[in-house]
């Protein structure tokens, strides 16, 4: 779901990923018929991993 939701990624002023637009992702999940209560629990973990991974990539370069 996240790979198709590029517009739901929040970008900071320096171009780094700061998080996800969780309400927008839940609206998309509803439209696609996904289990929203499950996504409410899982998306924050995906968000943390994405932000940490992006920060690591920026610090390595």
């Amino acid at each position: 779901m996240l790979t198709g939701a590029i517009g739901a990624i929040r970008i900071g002023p320096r171009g780094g990923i700061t998080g996800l637009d969780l309400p927008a992702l839940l609206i998309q999940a509803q439209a696609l018929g996904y289990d929203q209560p499950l996504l409410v629990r899982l998306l924050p973990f995906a968000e943390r991993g994405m932000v940490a991974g992006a920060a690591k990539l920026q610090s390595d370069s």
Side-chain angles (χ1 to χ4, degrees), residues 4-60:
I6 299 301
I9 297 173
R10 289 184 285 135
I11 306 294
R14 295 186 188 172
I17 295 173
T18 61
L20 297 171
D21 185 350
L22 296 176
L25 286 172
L26 291 174
I27 290 169
Q28 290 177 7
Q30 181 179 19
L32 294 170
Y34 291 128
D35 185 350
Q36 284 187 299
L38 179 63
L39 286 173
V40 166
R41 296 186 72 173
L42 293 177
L43 283 173
F45 293 103
E47 178 180 47
R48 279 186 232 148
M50 184 180 293
V51 170
K56 183 173 179 358
L57 282 175
Q58 284 188 341
S59 68
D60 288 347

